[in-house]
Amino acid sequence: MDDIEGLFDVFEETSTTDTVGLYLGVQETNNDVSIKRNAKYTEEKPSKKQKYSVIEEECGEENDEYQKAEKGRVISVETLEACVHEVAVPPDVEYVPLMKSTGKPAREYPFVLDPFQKEAILCIDNNQSVLISAHTSAGKTVAAEYSIAMALRENQRVIYTTPIKALSNQKYREFSDEFKDVGLITGDVTINYEASCLIMTTEILRNMLYRGSQIMREVKWVVFDEIHYMRDKERGVVWEETLILLPDNVRFVFLSATIPNARQFAEWVAFIHHQPCHVVYTEYRPVPLQHYLFPAGGAGIHLIVDEHGNFREDNFNLAMSILSDSNPVKEEFKDKRKQKMQVNSTNCFNIVKMLMERHMAPIIAFSFSKKECEIYAIQMAKLDFSTTEEKKLIEEILNNALDVLSEDDRKLPQVTSGEYIQMSGRAGRRGLDEQGIVLLMIDEKVSPEVAKCIVQGQADPLNSAFHLTYNMILNLMRVDDINPEYMLERSFAQFQNQATIPNVCNKLKDLQSEFNKIKIENEDKVALYYTLQSQISIVKERIREFIVNPMYLIPFLQVGRMVKIKDELREYDWGIILNFKKRDSKYRNPANANATSITVDVMIPSVKEEEKQGHIMEIITIKHTQILSLGAVKLCCPADLRVSDNQKSISKSLQETKKRFGEIPLLDPVKDMNIQTKSIKKAIENLFSLEQKLKNLPIHSNPNISTLCNLYDKKFKISEEIENTISEFKKLNRIDQLGELKRHKKVLRKLNYCSATDVVQTKGKIACELSSGEELLMTELIFNGIFTELNPAQCVALLSCFMCDEKSNIPIQMTEELSGPLRRMQELARTIVRVSNECHMEIDEDVYIDHFKPYLMDICHEWCNGSSFAEICRKTDIFEGSIIRSFRRLEEALRQLIQATRSIGNNELEKKFNDAITSLKRGIAFAASLYL
């Protein structure tokens, strides 16, 4: 076969298959076809050669240049040592080298700037966007401060965005001292709204863009702190929405931890905003890190990576040997998890004590369990390393914080209010420490390779977490000149998909070349033979499934029966059965015999080459599903198989039996095993018919048929890979998630959130204001009058189902005043699921309903009715910090509901939600944090 045009049936809208669907032979076509680039978008179905021509054109050399031109280019900038400087330039912009400023800088520093800081400031001085990618505490904020200073000098406005409200508050305090003309916008607080420098979370900025805020007309610079949050599964989409919606005249400063694909992110920014975007990247750490290992149960720490980045494998192996010898887990403990927690808490206590005694403070200890954090804190209370003077200062700070609490709240175990600041990489304080100390406690043996991956591995790439939400779609329907399709086309996810097209094209070319190199004599005849062989294999596998069914198999697992087995890697030579064990699943359906698990001990000839000459046998244990064939022959089996002579005897018997029979006779499924189903009888008939057809083919007698079939099999697998690659190529050329967008729109139309022409209706206006999640169900609660019938405390209790992330082990006990609204909410949720599934969204009803957890309903209800925090905590096993976090999220949701009801002029509900906030926002749950 000279070409592979028949492989490109993948482009057909519909396709049909028959019994010879595996056959690759095609008829030659003499049509000389040339098409234009847009041929793939035409209505008519192209011929097979046209289809391949499209791929050839898309993947041709000319198109490589076209893609580069459309994507833009990346230019390396000569720079100082210890950093990399590149600039992504869009195709329609001429690159102009950066010019050093000759005037007075917008901001001067009392210390010598690092090379990467100088490069970043140079970009800002040239009025160009820049991404600074560096380790935590390297000094990235210097560039952000410089952009603020320059904007203020030029009488321009600048917005500084953070991922969380607590960080916004911190930056507001820092910048207020530094620049004065600074404002803060959060969900509940607005300070100095007219300021030239505004601090806010990324969500706030996104909402301002959707509402067409006048502030954006005056903004010149936007700083995105912690831009690597964009890869967050839940919230990352907010960063993409915001970046796409920002006007092209805005310039950006992106601050990020080290990311290996920083260049790709800059290319995307340059592409969507038609402006150069620089990347200043450095792996330099101002304070080098030392990595230590603490083996659980040990008495000391072991340096495994020094300050120069060298991995100390000798120290690592020593730590692993100590871990093996200490073996802290005692068998007499029945609750292993509880015992392990106790061991770990002791280890943590010992580590902190040792570090303090070695003057390695301050220390940040990370744990991935809330319960363990509490246990560790109790353990730490036994330590005392503060001086008398320090204790007085600590007591003064604590008393000042306690003064704002009620008498009951002062008696509580004090906790912070859920401010989660990213603390990774904080080891090593610039100007204070020579090295940063990182200590890893480990309680399981790992290989050096795994350890190196943990302590020296590459940072995670910045991959898109873009996903559609109803709130996004509805807001985009209201924005002039932009629609949801526009957002999809310009998303980072789509850009990353497009970036892989050249690699896919190269792969396709290589496969095409490899395919064309394989020449097979009489290929059509070999293809037919191969097809019949494949069909025979399929029928044999169907018969084998009957044979290994425990219902039929167990009576024939006698000791000494010859058996052939297989695994993922190979098919073994004939062996004999020694023993089997049957295990029924505890929860199995008695009608399903396949739920029974059987392990079979089989003796087979050793697969090790050096042992084959000695006829050495080996015993392996397999699952019954690994049996390939059951022989009709049984051999005598010696009693003691540990004796070498007995193993040789079995090996000799196997060899003689194979020599005598040539082909080992198999058990007949019907006659011998008494499987009397119609299906197996039909399968045996088909097998006989196919085998006869195979034998009747003239090529069957060709002595090279096996080699020819192997060659054809290789070619066929390449053809399958080509088809898969073409499918991948087509998918990359489509707009990602476009089908999902259509399904989302169908749901919105069916539920009357928008019209058939995408005009947002009243329901849609409500959902546009609800960005905290599950906007459809919240809107349905408003629109169906559920909140109208409830008092403020009941509203908060019902909304807590949206915010509760944890499950309580204490049985839920609630009155009808709470259970009634919960049932009605669940009914509305089922309606949403039904409509969604009608629109092919494929949502599991039970999973969706279980997503709304009622474990905080009674807690929230009592809190809003005046109960103390201590009283509500006694009624649940959910952690105090989780309760406070839910309260804070509830306040944010209520503020969005206030905005939503205001947008439709429902003053009654607006007042009710305001009253709900008043009853919720009180006491220790909303007390100021001790975070400084």
Side-chain angles (χ1 to χ4, degrees):
M1 182 162 51
D2 296 328
D3 60 30
I4 58 167
E5 60 187 43
L7 298 179
F8 292 87
D9 289 335
V10 71
F11 282 93
E12 296 287 354
E13 293 290 333
T14 59
S15 62
T16 58
T17 56
D18 52 27
T19 56
V20 289
L22 297 171
Y23 177 51
L24 291 182
V26 294
Q27 298 295 320
E28 281 292 332
T29 305
N30 296 319
N31 296 333
D32 184 15
V33 180
S34 62
I35 57 175
K36 295 181 179 179
R37 175 171 300 280
N38 62 359
K40 62 178 179 177
Y41 303 112
T42 58
E43 294 289 334
E44 296 179 11
K45 287 186 179 180
S47 69
K48 291 175 180 177
K49 273 204 169 181
Q50 279 180 317
K51 295 168 194 170
Y52 185 56
S53 296
V54 170
I55 295 297
E56 280 190 316
E57 184 170 313
E58 291 288 356
C59 295
E61 292 182 7
E62 291 183 4
N63 188 61
D64 287 346
E65 295 303 317
Y66 170 79
Q67 285 183 3
K68 289 177 185 176
E70 192 175 65
K71 183 180 177 182
R73 59 200 187 280
V74 176
I75 299 170
S76 294
V77 180
E78 188 176 345
T79 181
L80 301 170
E81 60 182 11
C83 75
V84 175
H85 186 170
E86 297 175 321
V87 55
V89 183
D92 54 347
V93 175
E94 181 181 353
Y95 172 66
V96 178
L98 299 176
M99 303 293 292
K100 288 189 176 181
S101 175
T102 56
K104 184 179 179 181
R107 180 175 171 81
E108 295 180 315
Y109 295 89
F111 51 85
V112 178
L113 296 175
D114 288 337
F116 83 92
Q117 294 170 328
K118 293 177 182 178
E119 293 295 319
I121 288 174
L122 180 61
C123 299
I124 297 168
D125 271 333
N126 280 263
N127 200 36
Q128 295 190 12
S129 300
V130 60
L131 163 65
I132 303 112
S133 181
H135 288 291
T136 301
S137 301
K140 298 186 290 290
T141 310
V142 164
E145 292 171 346
Y146 194 89
S147 68
I148 295 171
M150 194 172 82
L152 296 179
R153 185 185 68 182
E154 304 295 330
N155 296 316
Q156 299 166 338
R157 300 193 81 171
V158 57
I159 290 177
Y160 190 105
T161 72
T162 68
I164 54 176
K165 188 190 294 186
L167 193 53
S168 290
N169 293 334
Q170 176 193 343
K171 290 298 179 184
Y172 171 70
R173 289 193 294 270
E174 291 177 5
F175 292 161
S176 292
D177 293 338
E178 196 69 37
F179 300 108
K180 309 304 178 186
D181 188 14
V182 178
L184 174 68
I185 303 176
T186 66
D188 55 339
V189 174
T190 298
I191 302 173
N192 198 8
Y193 185 79
E194 299 296 327
S196 298
C197 176
L198 289 174
I199 317 293
M200 64 188 72
T201 61
T202 314
E203 280 87 352
I204 296 289
L205 177 56
R206 180 197 61 173
N207 294 341
M208 289 171 61
L209 289 165
Y210 276 138
R211 291 170 188 163
S213 172
Q214 292 297 317
I215 290 178
M216 297 313 303
R217 297 171 185 248
E218 306 165 9
V219 171
K220 181 62 178 179
W221 288 89
V222 175
V223 179
F224 285 91
D225 199 355
E226 312 281 6
I227 189 63
H228 51 270
Y229 263 76
M230 199 172 87
R231 64 184 167 216
D232 182 80
K233 184 179 178 181
E234 298 298 325
R235 297 177 58 216
V237 63
V238 174
W239 275 258
E240 287 194 52
E241 285 181 83
T242 305
L243 269 168
I244 293 168
L245 292 170
L246 280 164
D248 291 346
N249 64 306
V250 170
R251 297 296 178 260
F252 308 100
V253 175
F254 303 102
L255 309 182
S256 172
T258 52
I259 48 175
N261 62 332
R263 177 200 290 183
Q264 186 184 49
F265 176 82
E267 288 180 280
W268 175 61
V269 173
F271 169 72
I272 62 174
H273 285 298
H274 310 288
Q275 59 172 275
C277 183
H278 294 255
V279 177
V280 176
Y281 185 96
T282 180
E283 288 283 353
Y284 170 71
R285 283 188 180 275
V287 182
L289 297 183
Q290 293 178 332
H291 296 262
Y292 289 83
L293 206 62
F294 180 90
I301 58 177
H302 305 265
L303 178 67
I304 60 169
V305 178
D306 62 24
E307 62 272 22
H308 305 295
N310 301 315
F311 187 80
R312 302 283 190 86
E313 194 157 340
D314 52 343
N315 288 352
F316 174 80
N317 291 332
L318 177 60
M320 288 297 99
S321 65
I322 293 172
L323 180 65
S324 178
D325 294 338
S326 61
N327 190 21
V329 178
K330 299 178 181 178
E331 291 299 323
E332 60 264 27
F333 279 89
K334 293 183 179 179
D335 187 348
K336 297 292 181 63
R337 186 176 179 182
K338 181 178 179 181
Q339 193 271 336
K340 183 177 179 181
M341 192 179 296
Q342 291 173 349
V343 171
N344 285 345
S345 64
T346 302
N347 286 324
C348 187
F349 178 86
N350 292 337
I351 290 172
V352 173
K353 183 179 179 183
M354 176 193 64
L355 293 176
M356 293 297 294
E357 289 171 348
R358 296 190 183 187
H359 307 290
M360 291 182 174
I363 302 164
I364 301 173
F366 291 95
S367 175
F368 300 105
S369 163
K370 293 179 183 178
K371 187 173 289 187
E372 286 184 9
C373 278
E374 195 166 280
I375 293 172
Y376 294 157
I378 293 171
Q379 286 274 333
M380 295 306 116
K382 300 174 184 177
L383 296 174
D384 184 3
F385 295 103
S386 301
T387 64
T388 303
E389 188 63 30
E390 288 170 339
K391 288 177 182 177
K392 288 180 181 178
L393 291 172
I394 293 169
E395 188 174 356
E396 183 180 347
I397 293 171
L398 183 61
N399 287 335
N400 288 338
L402 292 176
D403 285 343
V404 302
L405 302 179
S406 68
E407 194 65 36
D408 286 340
D409 287 344
R410 292 178 194 177
K411 298 174 184 177
L412 290 169
Q414 299 303 319
V415 294
T416 60
S417 56
E419 297 162 329
Y420 294 91
I421 306 295
Q422 190 183 25
M423 302 298 284
S424 300
R426 299 291 176 183
R429 298 163 297 170
R430 191 167 189 172
L432 296 174
D433 301 321
E434 292 185 4
Q435 294 96 22
I437 306 298
V438 181
L439 198 151
L440 176 65
M441 186 176 78
I442 191 166
D443 58 4
E444 293 180 7
K445 291 194 72 173
V446 296
S447 67
E449 290 72 26
V450 172
K452 286 178 185 178
C453 184
I454 294 172
V455 298
Q456 294 182 311
Q458 192 180 46
D460 293 329
L462 182 59
N463 290 326
S464 172
F466 186 88
H467 60 273
L468 290 167
T469 67
Y470 290 108
N471 174 272
M472 177 202 300
I473 295 168
L474 289 164
N475 271 301
L476 287 169
M477 288 178 179
R478 302 173 74 184
V479 178
D480 293 337
D481 302 324
I482 296 180
N483 55 33
E485 288 79 6
Y486 174 89
M487 184 70 73
L488 289 178
E489 289 171 1
R490 300 170 75 81
S491 70
F492 190 40
Q494 181 71 14
F495 186 84
Q496 287 187 309
N497 282 342
Q498 294 283 334
T500 63
I501 287 179
N503 293 335
V504 174
C505 285
N506 290 333
K507 180 182 177 181
L508 189 59
K509 290 175 186 177
D510 292 341
L511 289 170
Q512 162 75 29
S513 175
E514 191 177 354
F515 184 94
N516 289 338
K517 288 177 183 177
I518 301 176
K519 305 296 182 183
I520 303 173
E521 186 181 355
N522 296 320
E523 186 166 339
D524 289 357
K525 295 175 182 178
V526 175
L528 182 57
Y529 191 90
Y530 177 88
T531 301
L532 286 171
Q533 268 194 336
S534 300
Q535 291 175 348
I536 287 171
S537 298
I538 292 170
V539 176
K540 281 184 175 180
E541 177 59 26
R542 178 64 183 136
I543 294 172
R544 192 189 73 84
E545 288 174 1
F546 278 98
I547 292 173
V548 299
N549 188 318
M551 184 188 302
Y552 308 116
L553 176 66
I554 289 174
F556 296 92
L557 294 178
Q558 299 104 329
V559 176
R561 180 173 299 283
M562 292 187 69
V563 65
K564 208 166 195 179
I565 61 173
K566 64 173 183 177
D567 60 20
E568 295 83 1
L569 300 177
R570 63 173 68 87
E571 180 181 314
Y572 294 88
D573 200 357
W574 284 98
I576 62 168
I577 294 173
L578 301 179
N579 192 17
F580 76 91
K581 291 180 181 178
K582 184 178 77 168
R583 180 180 297 170
D584 291 331
S585 173
K586 182 178 179 182
Y587 304 104
R588 80 179 183 92
N589 182 350
N592 183 9
N594 285 320
T596 301
S597 174
I598 302 173
T599 56
V600 186
D601 295 329
V602 179
M603 177 170 276
I604 58 171
S606 175
V607 295
K608 299 175 183 176
E609 287 293 331
E610 64 271 18
E611 296 179 353
K612 284 187 177 179
Q613 298 297 325
H615 301 292
I616 301 299
M617 308 291 287
E618 63 176 317
I619 300 172
I620 61 174
T621 301
I622 63 165
K623 293 180 180 179
H624 69 281
T625 52
Q626 292 177 252
I627 292 176
L628 189 61
S629 305
L630 279 178
V633 180
K634 287 193 295 184
L635 303 180
C636 293
C637 186
D640 190 354
L641 295 174
R642 292 172 297 181
V643 179
S644 177
D645 287 343
N646 289 344
Q647 291 187 23
K648 290 180 179 179
S649 173
I650 291 177
S651 177
K652 186 177 180 181
S653 297
L654 283 170
Q655 297 298 329
E656 290 176 351
T657 304
K658 288 190 289 184
K659 186 176 180 181
R660 175 185 172 190
F661 286 100
E663 266 191 41
I664 301 297
L666 305 178
L667 287 175
D668 187 287
V670 177
K671 296 177 182 177
D672 297 327
M673 300 184 71
N674 197 30
I675 305 175
Q676 299 297 329
T677 66
K678 291 181 180 179
S679 298
I680 196 168
K681 290 179 180 179
K682 181 67 175 175
I684 291 172
E685 289 176 11
N686 289 342
L687 179 61
F688 179 79
S689 173
L690 289 169
E691 287 177 337
Q692 288 302 311
K693 288 180 180 179
L694 191 73
K695 290 176 182 177
N696 291 335
L697 290 176
I699 202 170
H700 182 69
S701 58
N702 188 324
N704 297 322
I705 188 61
S706 179
T707 303
L708 291 171
C709 282
N710 288 338
L711 195 59
Y712 189 85
D713 179 67
K714 181 181 178 181
K715 192 168 187 176
F716 177 73
K717 286 176 179 174
I718 294 173
S719 74
E720 284 186 320
E721 195 170 355
I722 288 174
E723 288 192 9
N724 293 335
T725 307
I726 292 170
S727 296
E728 182 184 358
F729 177 85
K730 289 179 62 185
K731 183 178 178 182
L732 292 174
N733 272 286
R734 300 190 194 107
I735 297 177
D736 191 35
Q737 301 185 45
L738 189 58
E740 188 179 346
L741 173 60
K742 291 177 181 178
R743 292 189 288 273
H744 274 73
K745 283 187 173 182
K746 284 182 180 179
V747 173
L748 291 173
R749 289 165 187 158
K750 277 204 167 193
L751 291 173
N752 297 318
Y753 283 73
C754 66
S755 68
T757 55
D758 291 348
V759 176
V760 176
Q761 306 298 305
T762 303
K763 276 188 177 182
K765 291 179 182 177
I766 296 172
C768 280
E769 306 296 337
L770 307 176
S771 58
S772 57
E774 300 303 336
E775 53 270 41
L776 294 191
L777 185 52
M778 281 194 185
T779 301
E780 294 299 320
L781 290 171
I782 293 175
F783 215 74
N784 285 273
I786 306 299
F787 287 127
T788 305
E789 302 169 4
L790 305 179
N791 60 41
Q794 287 175 300
C795 290
V796 173
L798 187 59
L799 285 170
S800 71
C801 299
F802 293 81
M803 310 302 159
C804 183
D805 295 327
E806 299 183 23
K807 187 174 181 179
S808 171
N809 295 317
I810 297 176
I812 302 173
Q813 295 179 352
M814 64 178 79
T815 60
E816 179 61 26
E817 66 175 336
L818 295 182
S819 60
L822 176 62
R823 283 194 302 271
R824 295 184 64 183
M825 184 186 75
Q826 290 172 338
E827 290 169 6
L828 291 171
R830 289 188 179 91
T831 301
I832 292 172
V833 172
R834 177 179 55 77
V835 172
S836 299
N837 288 333
E838 288 172 359
C839 299
H840 309 290
M841 293 288 288
E842 297 181 0
I843 298 176
D844 186 295
E845 182 178 299
D846 293 334
V847 172
Y848 185 72
I849 299 298
D850 290 343
H851 176 66
F852 305 102
K853 298 179 177 65
Y855 303 107
L856 288 177
M857 286 189 73
D858 54 340
I859 299 297
C860 290
H861 190 255
E862 292 193 21
W863 172 257
C864 290
N865 281 323
S867 294
S868 69
F869 195 73
E871 289 172 339
I872 64 171
C873 286
R874 283 195 291 267
K875 296 184 178 182
T876 182
D877 57 353
I878 294 176
F879 284 100
E880 293 93 332
S882 299
I883 295 173
I884 290 175
R885 180 170 178 269
S886 296
F887 283 2
R888 298 255 169 154
R889 292 175 63 197
L890 272 168
E891 184 208 3
E892 180 61 31
L894 285 165
R895 292 194 182 281
Q896 291 179 11
L897 286 166
I898 289 170
Q899 188 65 34
T901 50
R902 186 180 297 153
S903 70
I904 60 172
N906 191 326
N907 297 329
E908 182 183 346
L909 268 184
E910 183 184 344
K911 181 181 182 304
K912 185 176 291 186
F913 291 138
N914 268 312
D915 292 343
I917 288 179
T918 302
S919 63
L920 174 70
K921 193 174 180 181
R922 64 180 182 84
I924 191 172
F926 291 87
S929 170
L930 292 178
Y931 178 75
L932 299 177

